[in-house]
Amino acid sequence: MPAASSVRRAAVALLATAALLLASGCSVAVVGLPSAARPPASDIPSAELQVVGATGGPIDTLARNALADLEAYWAQQFPDVFGQDFVPLRGGYFSADPNDVDPGAYPQGIGCGSDPRDVEGNAFYCQAPDAPNSDSISYDRAFLQELAEQYGRFIPALVMAHEFGHAVQGRVGYPDYSISVETQADCFAGAWTAWVADGQSEHTQIRAPELDEVLRGYLLLRDPVGTSINTEAAHGSYFDRISAFQEGFQAGPTACRDGFSAQRPLHPGRLLVG
């Protein structure tokens, strides 16, 4: 593993500070550190990675770039972490604007045959036997545009990384509880983000100031305060999700593989099972 870049060192300090301040009930205000100049990342041509329904706009470009780099990352990591080759998503990728849908662009719907309007305000990985477009990732590009405007251009890439984490789970098995499924996907996303921060990705980059925006974005993506850790479809508190992301960022995908059983402590220090 190459030496950590200034971006990655900043991220480690930033994430550790966030966890400490959250535990003490303080707000987070961290200034990113400058990183060394790098050549601009190249966009992957749409012909090399198809996203059904994509318009060629900036959000689709960011998503496509991230998906290409996620494919490259997991092709590298999967054999060492899981002892088998990574099988690419057979159902592909889908972009939709639920408020402006051309039905002709989606003859079998989006992921698992869903109506494109059903992805509103969301992104999801879908795997269902015998369903059309199974083993696929779908996203609402208008929603990702809103996230990017509020929390920075890396957020769409991070959303792709989280959903790709579910694709990894679809190949090796899911944890027993929804919150474990979601936080493990956050961990996988953190491991990929560290790889990007180290300058190993071809199409995606992250600068230190963007890391603060990533953390703020998790405020929107957390469960509401008071949500039970055993609730169906629970994703985790801000603390749970940041802790999982940090674990992947610092320790890599093997830690994500091993650290998300029912005995994993969750905020505020509870276990999923007694």
Side-chain angles (χ1 to χ4, degrees):
M1 177 69 67
S5 66
S6 61
V7 174
R8 186 166 183 182
R9 289 195 299 271
V12 171
L14 175 61
L15 291 166
T17 301
L20 176 63
L21 292 176
L22 280 165
S24 63
C26 300
S27 60
V28 179
V30 182
V31 178
L33 301 179
S35 60
R38 297 176 184 163
S42 61
D43 295 333
I44 184 169
S46 58
E48 293 185 20
L49 192 150
Q50 183 183 18
V51 178
V52 176
T55 63
I59 294 300
D60 285 324
T61 298
L62 288 170
R64 180 183 287 109
N65 286 342
L67 290 167
D69 287 332
L70 283 157
E71 289 183 351
Y73 175 78
W74 285 110
Q76 293 175 14
Q77 298 293 326
F78 213 79
D80 289 340
V81 177
F82 296 108
Q84 55 186 287
D85 290 337
F86 180 77
V87 178
L89 277 67
R90 68 178 183 275
Y93 310 112
F94 297 86
S95 168
D97 180 347
N99 294 314
D100 185 17
V101 173
D102 175 9
Y106 311 97
Q108 292 188 298
I110 55 174
C112 293
S114 299
D115 188 305
R117 289 164 291 197
D118 291 342
V119 77
E120 184 175 5
N122 199 10
F124 63 86
Y125 168 74
C126 181
Q127 184 182 53
D130 302 323
N133 305 326
S134 177
D135 190 29
S136 64
I137 292 173
S138 305
Y139 62 88
D140 175 353
R141 62 176 173 268
F143 174 59
L144 293 188
Q145 177 67 47
E146 293 176 8
L147 290 182
E149 290 171 354
Q150 295 179 68
Y151 302 110
R153 67 183 182 90
F154 192 73
I155 284 288
L158 183 60
V159 171
M160 295 301 103
H162 175 91
E163 298 308 327
F164 216 96
H166 290 316
V168 170
Q169 293 167 335
R171 283 148 176 76
V172 299
Y174 294 88
D176 292 334
Y177 293 85
S178 174
I179 194 168
S180 298
V181 171
E182 298 301 335
T183 52
Q184 186 184 54
D186 289 330
C187 186
F188 287 141
W192 176 77
T193 300
W195 180 78
V196 173
D198 276 338
Q200 298 185 61
S201 56
E202 184 176 357
H203 305 291
T204 309
Q205 291 182 336
I206 186 168
R207 297 172 292 110
E210 292 175 293
L211 294 166
D212 189 41
E213 295 176 313
V214 167
L215 287 176
R216 290 192 300 111
Y218 266 92
L219 281 171
L220 181 65
L221 302 173
R222 75 192 190 283
D223 285 337
V225 174
T227 300
S228 168
I229 58 178
N230 294 309
T231 298
E232 184 178 358
H235 281 57
S237 69
Y238 182 45
F239 182 90
D240 296 329
R241 303 200 69 177
I242 287 295
S243 296
F245 180 91
Q246 180 183 11
E247 186 166 346
F249 195 101
Q250 292 183 291
T254 301
C256 304
R257 178 196 67 192
D258 297 337
F260 287 81
S261 70
Q263 283 69 46
R264 180 179 178 83
L266 297 169
H267 183 255
R270 295 172 291 176
L271 300 178
L272 282 167
V273 295

